[in-house]
Amino acid sequence: MTAEEESGTAQDGRDDAAAEDFFTRHRELLFAVAYNILGTVSDTEDVLQETWLSWTSARRSAIADPRSYLVRIAVNEALGRLRRARGRREVYVGPWLPEPLVTRPPETGPHPAEDVAEAVGRAESVSLALMVVLETLTPLERAVFVLREVFGYEHVEIAEILGRSPAAVRQLAHRAREHVQARRPRYEPDPRVRRAATDRFLAASLGGDLGALMEVLAPDVALWTDGGGKRRAALRPIEGREKVARLLVALSGMYAGDLDVRHVDVNAAPAAVVFGSAVFAVLVVDLDPRDDRVCGIYGVINPDKLGSAREALSIVSCP
């Protein structure tokens, strides 16, 4: 090899190392954007892989704004996957809930292993309850909402990412915001309030205390259980305080003494993992802004969606 060739090879190596470093520094952002659009970890990881491949094969010296380039690739890849996923979700057994990203409670301290759930928590995330509402938007509306409302992108920036006009993006943003606001008014309770409400709900549910459940549940409470056809679950949401309470009391009789609870964060908000010999469910409650009673209960019991819960629980359980 000539000296010139050796110099070129060394330069290529430096360029590749710089490209990898740049991608790594933006991985959390890309993961958070794609996850909030898709709602599943595996699809999000696939998006990141495709984005990496595009980045490594691009003429990077010709890219004026590398960060915007990466976001554009990730968003459009996520949109394509979301459009394909919508068909599968239409034939899903029972309600489809997003895959929860479970993180360790703060008292466990730092852990050296990189955790994708930690990554989205450090970047930006929306609650699982809001993600359920985002499922009712069109793919384009969802992407615009996530970029605008969660990440603070301007309409012109979103237009460049999506290849749309700024006017079209403004219309999509307005429509998405109105739709979300109608289904879920803006309210984010203090984490301590949510944790306390979760505790009261779990104590009443696992204890089979019908009276206590009637006190903690809002009159119009709804219960979603996602078993994906792999565990027994309601095939549609259960609505109304009495129906939900009686179902939970019946379930407590089936599992009394077999389950324990561990506090975690799900999508950066207080929640719980319910487990016995194995992880049984991730449970998230939503609160009524009027009185902080439980107005929504989201139980993810499909084992395919409990990967981050299993990992978090094993870390929490370590001495």
Side-chain angles (χ1 to χ4, degrees):
M1 180 181 294
T2 66
E4 184 177 347
E5 288 172 333
E6 288 180 353
S7 175
T9 300
Q11 181 63 45
D12 289 343
R14 288 193 293 272
D15 289 346
D16 290 344
E20 183 175 0
D21 178 67
F22 187 84
F23 184 87
T24 300
R25 285 189 281 115
H26 290 82
R27 191 181 190 282
E28 291 181 7
L29 168 66
L30 300 174
F31 183 94
V33 169
Y35 170 76
N36 285 325
I37 292 174
L38 288 164
T40 61
V41 173
S42 60
D43 283 336
T44 297
E45 292 288 5
D46 288 343
V47 166
L48 262 63
Q49 178 64 21
E50 291 300 321
T51 305
W52 165 249
L53 292 175
S54 294
W55 175 238
T56 56
S57 62
R59 289 184 58 234
R60 293 186 294 274
S61 60
I63 298 174
D65 188 341
R67 182 178 185 273
S68 294
Y69 174 87
L70 289 176
V71 172
R72 183 171 70 252
I73 297 299
V75 168
N76 284 285
E77 181 67 28
L79 271 174
R81 289 180 179 273
L82 180 60
R83 292 186 180 104
R84 295 192 293 273
R86 284 290 169 91
R88 297 193 300 272
R89 293 175 191 179
E90 287 176 359
V91 296
Y92 192 81
V93 178
W96 187 94
L97 293 178
E99 181 177 353
L101 279 174
V102 179
T103 57
R104 299 179 301 281
E107 60 270 19
T108 62
H111 190 275
E114 176 61 20
D115 185 337
V116 293
E118 294 286 338
V120 77
R122 286 193 299 268
E124 296 289 345
S125 180
V126 297
S127 69
L128 190 138
L130 179 54
M131 292 191 80
V132 171
V133 177
L134 296 186
E135 282 294 308
T136 63
L137 301 177
T138 68
L140 267 179
E141 287 172 345
R142 181 166 181 165
V144 170
F145 183 90
V146 166
L147 290 169
R148 177 65 179 161
E149 302 296 325
V150 182
F151 293 93
Y153 279 81
E154 298 296 333
H155 293 121
V156 172
E157 295 175 297
I158 300 172
E160 291 176 355
I161 289 170
L162 298 177
R164 304 273 169 155
S165 69
V169 167
R170 287 190 186 91
Q171 186 176 28
L172 285 164
H174 178 73
R175 192 159 61 231
R177 189 166 53 249
E178 281 197 333
H179 184 90
V180 170
Q181 181 67 17
R183 289 173 174 261
R184 182 178 171 77
R186 285 185 178 274
Y187 174 62
E188 189 57 41
D190 184 282
R192 291 169 295 183
V193 172
R194 189 188 293 275
R195 181 80 74 201
T198 302
D199 283 343
R200 291 194 299 271
F201 168 74
L202 287 168
S205 298
L206 296 178
D209 189 335
L210 181 61
L213 275 170
M214 296 295 283
E215 284 295 321
V216 77
L217 298 178
D220 56 350
V221 64
L223 167 67
W224 287 263
T225 50
D226 178 350
K230 299 190 176 183
R231 281 182 175 164
R232 291 187 62 183
L235 295 180
R236 59 185 58 85
I238 308 299
E239 300 179 342
R241 178 162 53 194
E242 186 168 342
K243 287 182 180 179
V244 170
R246 293 191 181 282
L247 174 61
L248 292 172
V249 168
L251 290 173
S252 73
M254 294 171 58
Y255 296 105
D258 294 335
L259 298 176
D260 199 356
V261 174
R262 189 64 52 84
H263 289 299
V264 293
D265 284 347
V266 167
N267 295 24
V273 173
V274 181
F275 65 98
S277 57
V279 173
F280 178 75
V282 169
L283 200 64
V284 177
V285 301
D286 201 17
L287 304 185
D288 191 318
R290 295 168 294 186
D291 55 15
D292 286 325
R293 288 188 177 185
V294 174
C295 63
I297 306 160
Y298 304 90
V300 180
I301 61 177
N302 182 345
D304 292 344
K305 296 184 178 182
L306 298 177
S308 66
R310 287 188 288 267
E311 180 178 343
L313 195 64
S314 66
I315 293 172
V316 168
S317 300
C318 289

